[in-house]
């Protein structure tokens, strides 16, 4: 069953005031401490499928009552209010039913809630009696409920259907002229799939409601990129949902009038029967994700974009036993044909199909060429289901193919390996013991393989598939046979079809960050999201820092981010719909679910008991109904009790809807490659230097419009010149065919001329390292690294480090990009932001190059030519035409020039005001100091080398 919220009221005839339940044989009085020792699983009421007595009328009387009962029962109000704050959804379902008939009526509440949601509260008022709820340990709650029954007191059962607690149900008797009011609270976490979040409410009032109101508020500090409401309720309600959206908040209101609810103008039946779905996504500007801190907890949302897909090696393992005959096999074949067409050219794949025997389409992995895909589709189309089910051998065969390919060096070391198992039943041939199959797979599986399991229908042991996948870096999903199997299979594949990162690890190195949830993940898939949470001590920290390490298609990444303790205070305090407790709830949700998953995989009773105690205490502390707790609902005088119980099966995976399963690692376990060399300074976001830990005092700089400052180490002089060109022109700064290094800059113009002169600045810088086949393009908007066919994009909002072979690219948020090449060369680019509404100025870049860079003798360009210092003589210093700016004569490259003493700026240590640098200024765009004319350094493309070196003439 899909994740749904539903609310269903059934009005049933009955004259009884209380529930008629059989005696359970318990003693009338019991000590509270003894209740935990009861074997309540074997009590009759725990297993009964009871139905209450509906009526004591004879048939004739009953018929007369039934004729008018619908007109005498009023659904006065039906209200659903849901608020989503940073992916944490809190939903309240309220309704009020009035019994206007002269007879008592049984009213049933049946609410469908999302799988994995936690019920947190339930209350009701029945015939003027108020019922409230408390969360207790499961056995204790059942004992108290049983005790009430044993004493002959009213006791009802609030039930949920098996496995997923998808239904919350209760039934009460309403006296003539009286009413009943229900209120149910539950919470859940929104998981991102295929690029968006879905919040679903299943609306089924069952009759016309006098007041039908649904309000959904979405509050996202990151900002909402889009919000959309598909027409799941049908054309009947077109235009009824009202959507409003601001930068960080969205509201969906659904309030149809009674006439709008009618199926037809004269109908008494309601047309409200279906899903109200809200789709949205948030703004993502930082690769390192969004780190939010509040109320002693932090949450970290990670969903980077603009990354190249990692090549994948994928084995499809398909059940073709006799139980797959018919529509299931037909739809599986149709889905597989579409999935095969979606494989990328760099992917490798094969198909294993199994019944009592196991067959391979190919014994080895093959590239996903058009010819191979066509052949695989023909193979799948010829499959005829029959025989038994040998899951064990099929999985071991798939693992063998991947392991063999890896051992023979046939797999791209940067690729990811996946197995997708599709089955509809339990094993009937070969190894039948599920625990042994699980053990066999775990022992054979290399650590770089992820296993995803798709269970079709309800005959398969879904818990087994969940444990099997979770132990091997994957997840399981149930495919519902009574729905579009083909569509469900394709949608699941789409979720895992685009791996973007592998070996993703989150580190929070500060001492006062504790109780971090799973922080190490095997893969990150495009369109999904990884969420990590933990506790902080706000009185001992003023910010929380995160360091993320990961490997992309062609590079290793280190991403830093930082959140101040007060960042969300003002935002949450001024928005009445924001949940100020969302960080705590999300941390508790992740922790409890992850512990439940660990419990199902525990190998010793000691470990299992320890985890059980922790889950129980957390469930009680956070007031949620989990598989180890129950909700006791009772009247104020304690004479009437009901029980809300979660399903007994505790073998649940972590975090339903999450695509990435993870594990916990030590907070100090940052990979060695992610630790920068000492010259790059510490990793701390706050303490990281602009260029290096101690910026060298003498570098070659280009700043402003553009001012060149050339430092000559031998003569220990700074020589300056300006270049006056046009917007859009590209200047070559370094062109070194000997080392294969190129640096070019593209000019951007000011918004308008000042003093009849239009200033130009570097708006884009390009670096090319031929030996690495790597291009780096830096603009005022983003940083792009291209290696062959692979592209990595960072924004200036990121603090990150990219490691590719011998190349290190480090980005400091809104400040600098540092490029280091094998320790022989380094470059630093500074970002200058100006006021957006400034009438003249624009954002621009500055570049700094140490004169110690090891270029070849063939290096040239506006900067490159000075890497081999020319002989310069400055003499005859004298007063200049402008007071305070003396003049002098300079001999260089056979020319005698008049130069002026002045000041330029170095912004490395002070990005706003800069530091004054004295220099001798060469007029006329550096004429005489440069080889040739500055126009000789114009190139046609961003990555064009100079055509040929030339000398000063």
């Amino acid at each position: 069953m899909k994740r749904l919220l539903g609310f269903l009221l059934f009005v049933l005839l009955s004259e009884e005031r209380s529930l008629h339940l059989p005696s359970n044989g318990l003693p009338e009085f019991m000590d509270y401490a003894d209740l935990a020792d009861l074997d309540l699983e074997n009590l009759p009421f725990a297993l009964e499928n009871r139905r209450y007595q509906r009526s004591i009328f004879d048939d004739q009387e009953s018929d007369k009552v039934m004729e008018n009962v619908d007109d005498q029962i009023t659904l006065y109000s039906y209200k659903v209010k849901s608020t989503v704050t940073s992916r944490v959804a809190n939903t309240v379902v309220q309704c009020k039913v009035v019994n206007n008939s002269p007879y008592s009526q049984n009213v049933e509440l049946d609410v469908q809630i999302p799988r994995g949601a936690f019920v947190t509260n339930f209350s009701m008022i029945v015939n003027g009696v108020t019922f409230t709820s408390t969360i207790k340990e499961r056995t204790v709650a059942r004992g108290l409920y049983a005790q009430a029954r044993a004493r002959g007191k009213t006791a009802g059962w609030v039930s949920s259907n098996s496995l997923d607690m998808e239904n919350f149900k209760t039934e009460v008797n309403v006296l003539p002229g009286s009413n009943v009011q229900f209120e149910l609270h539950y919470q859940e976490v929104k998981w991102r799939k295929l690029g968006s979040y879905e919040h679903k409410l299943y609306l089924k009032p069952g009759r016309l409601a006098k007041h039908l109101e649904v309000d959904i508020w979405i509050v996202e500090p990151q900002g909402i990129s889009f919000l959309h409401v598909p027409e799941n309720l049908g054309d009947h309600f077109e235009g009824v949902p009202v959507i409003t959206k601001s930068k960080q908040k969205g509201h969906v209101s659904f309030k149809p009038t009674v006439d709008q609810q009618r199926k037809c103008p004269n109908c008494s039946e309601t047309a409200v029967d279906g899903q109200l779905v809200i789709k949205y996504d948030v703004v993502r500007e930082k690769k390192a994700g969004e780190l939010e801190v509040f109320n002693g907890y932090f949450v970290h949302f990670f969903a980077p974009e603009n990354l190249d897909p990692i090549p994948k090696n994928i084995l499809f393992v398909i059940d073709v036993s006799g139980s797959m005959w018919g529509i299931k096999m037909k739809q599986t074949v149709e889905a597989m044909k579409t999935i095969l067409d979606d494989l990328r050219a760099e992917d490798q794949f094969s198909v294993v199909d199994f019944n009592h025997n196991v067959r391979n389409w190919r014994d080895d992995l093959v590239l996903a060429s058009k010819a191979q895909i066509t052949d695989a589709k023909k193979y799948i189309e010829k499959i005829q289901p029959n025989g038994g089910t040998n899951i064990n051998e099929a999985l071991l065969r798939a693992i063998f193919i991947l392991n063999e390919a890896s051992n023979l060096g046939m797999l791209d070391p940067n690729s990811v390996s996946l197995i997708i198992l599709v089955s509809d039943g339990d094993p009937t041939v070969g190894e039948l013991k599920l625990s042994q199959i699980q053990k066999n797979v775990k022992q054979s599986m290399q650590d770089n393989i992820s296993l995803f399991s798709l269970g079709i229908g309800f005959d398969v042991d879904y818990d087994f598939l969940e444990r099997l996948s979770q132990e091997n870096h994957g997840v399981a999903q149930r495919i519902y046979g009574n729905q579009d199997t083909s569509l469900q299979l394709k949608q699941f594949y789409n979720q895992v079809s685009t791996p973007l990162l592998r070996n993703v690890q989150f580190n929070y190195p500060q001492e006062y960050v504790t109780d971090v949830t799973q922080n190490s993940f095997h893969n990150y898939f495009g369109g999904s999201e990884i969420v990590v949470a933990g506790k902080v001590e706000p009185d001992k920290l003023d910010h929380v820092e995160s360091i993320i390490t990961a490997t992309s298609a062609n590079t290793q990444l280190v991403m830093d981010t930082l959140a101040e303790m007060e960042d969300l205070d003002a935002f949450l305090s001024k928005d009445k719909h924001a949940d100020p407790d969302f960080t705590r709830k999300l941390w508790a949700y992740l922790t409890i679910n992850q512990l439940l998953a660990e419990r199902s995989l525990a190998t010793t009773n000691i470990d299992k008991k320890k985890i059980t105690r922790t889950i129980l205490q957390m469930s009680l502390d956070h007031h949620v109904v989990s598989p180890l707790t129950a909700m006791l609902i009772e009247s104020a005088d304690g004479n009437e009790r009901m029980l809300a119980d979660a399903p007994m099966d505790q073998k649940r995976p972590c975090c339903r809807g999450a695509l990435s399963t993870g594990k916990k690692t030590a907070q100090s376990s940052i990979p060695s490659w992610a630790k920068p060399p000492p010259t790059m300074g510490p990793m701390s976001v706050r303490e990281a230097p602009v260029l290096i830990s101690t910026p060298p005092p003498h570098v070659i700089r280009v700043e402003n419009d553009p001012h060149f400052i050339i430092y000559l180490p031998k003569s220990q002089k700074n020589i300056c010149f300006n270049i006056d060109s046009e917007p859009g022109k590209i200047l070559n700064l370094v062109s070194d065919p000997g080392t294969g290094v190129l640096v070019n800059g593209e000019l951007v113009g000011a918004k308008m001329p000042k003093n009849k002169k239009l200033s130009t600045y570097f708006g884009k810088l390009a670096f090319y390292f031929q030996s690495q086949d790597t291009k780096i393009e830096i603009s005022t908007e983003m940083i792009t690294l291209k290696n062959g066919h692979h592209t990595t994009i960072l924004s200036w909002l990121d603090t990150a480090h990219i490691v590719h072979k011998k190349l290190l690219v480090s980005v400091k948020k809104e400040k600098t990009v540092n490029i280091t090449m094998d320790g022989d060369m380094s470059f630093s680019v500074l970002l200058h932001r100006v006021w957006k509404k400034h009438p003249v100025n624009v954002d621009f870049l500055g570049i700094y190059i140490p004169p110690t860079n090891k270029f070849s003798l063939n290096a040239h360009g506006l900067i490159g030519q000075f890497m081999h210092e020319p002989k310069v003589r400055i003499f005859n210093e004298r007063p200049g035409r402008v007071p305070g700016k003396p003049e002098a004569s300079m001999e260089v490259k056979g020319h005698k020039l008049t130069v002026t003493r002045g000041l330029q700026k170095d912004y490395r240590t002070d990005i706003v005001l800069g530091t004054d640098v004295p220099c001798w200024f060469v007029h006329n765009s550096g004429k005489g100091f440069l080889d040739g004319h500055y126009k000789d350094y114009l190139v046609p493309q961003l990555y064009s080398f100079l055509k040929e070196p030339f000398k000063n003439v």
Side-chain angles (χ1 to χ4, degrees), residues 723-726 729-732 862 925 930-939 946 950:
I723 296 294
D724 295 321
S725 188
E726 303 171 7
K729 297 294 185 181
I730 300 172
L731 294 172
N732 173 255
L862 288 170
S925 296
L930 293 172
D931 290 344
H933 192 274
Y934 89 85
K935 291 185 178 180
D936 297 330
Y937 298 89
L938 294 174
V939 292
L946 284 176
F950 47 84

Side-chain angles (χ1 to χ4, degrees), residues 66-211:
M66 291 300 294
E67 288 176 4
N68 300 313
V69 68
D70 282 348
D71 296 331
Q72 296 172 327
I73 296 296
T74 301
L75 177 55
Y76 181 80
S77 64
Y78 176 83
K79 298 180 180 180
V80 181
K81 181 180 179 181
S82 197
T83 61
V84 182
T85 306
S86 286
R87 323 323 187 252
V88 178
N90 298 282
T91 301
V92 181
V93 181
Q94 299 172 318
C95 79
K96 180 178 180 180
V97 179
V98 179
N99 179 14
N100 296 314
S101 77
Y103 311 103
S104 294
Q105 306 292 334
N106 273 0
V107 175
E108 183 179 86
L109 170 72
D110 186 355
V111 181
Q112 290 179 295
I113 65 175
R115 289 185 293 160
F118 285 148
V119 173
T120 58
N121 198 12
F122 177 72
S123 62
M124 61 182 178
I125 302 175
V126 185
N127 304 323
V129 179
T130 300
F131 290 77
T132 56
S133 63
T134 55
I135 304 292
K136 297 185 180 296
E137 190 273 329
R138 186 187 187 101
T139 308
V140 171
R142 286 189 164 203
L144 290 170
Y145 169 74
Q147 189 181 66
R149 293 188 56 195
R151 295 176 181 176
K153 298 179 181 180
T154 300
W157 186 269
V158 181
S159 66
S160 60
N161 79 334
S162 61
L163 292 179
D164 298 312
M165 209 178 85
E166 292 171 341
N167 287 72
F168 186 98
K169 184 185 296 184
T170 185
E171 187 173 7
V172 297
N173 186 266
V174 185
L175 296 176
S178 190
N179 64 71
V180 59
Q181 299 178 50
F182 299 103
E183 183 169 304
L184 174 68
H185 297 240
Y186 68 87
Q187 66 187 43
E188 56 177 317
V189 172
K190 301 284 99 182
W191 294 102
R192 190 169 184 253
K193 293 183 178 181
L194 300 177
S196 67
Y197 307 95
E198 276 194 354
H199 189 46
K200 293 183 179 180
L201 304 176
Y202 192 72
L203 307 178
K204 193 169 183 178
R207 58 176 55 239
L208 299 175
K210 188 174 181 180
H211 301 282

Side-chain angles (χ1 to χ4, degrees), residues 392 395-396 399 436-446 451 468 472:
N392 182 70
L395 285 175
L396 295 182
I399 295 168
Q436 187 60 46
I437 297 175
Q438 191 176 332
K439 183 178 179 180
N440 293 344
V441 170
K442 181 65 176 175
Q443 289 178 342
S444 303
M445 188 89 76
Q446 291 185 1
L451 171 60
L468 193 65
N472 297 286

Side-chain angles (χ1 to χ4, degrees), residues 84 86-87 217-227 243-251 280-285 290 292 571 574-575 797 836:
V84 182
S86 286
R87 323 323 187 252
W217 297 92
I218 297 174
V219 182
E220 292 287 354
Q222 277 182 256
I224 299 174
S225 60
F226 73 85
L227 192 153
I243 305 170
T244 56
K245 174 183 169 296
S246 61
K247 182 178 179 181
Q248 295 171 301
K249 189 172 184 178
H251 178 225
Y280 77 97
D281 199 13
V282 299
V283 176
R284 288 183 175 80
E285 296 178 331
E290 185 74 6
E292 299 178 357
F571 176 79
K574 69 183 180 182
D575 195 312
L797 292 175
K836 289 185 178 181

Side-chain angles (χ1 to χ4, degrees), residues 708-720:
F708 287 73
I709 309 174
I710 306 297
Y711 175 68
L712 303 176
K714 293 179 181 179
S715 57
Q716 295 187 350
K717 291 181 173 62
N718 287 308
I719 310 299
C720 308

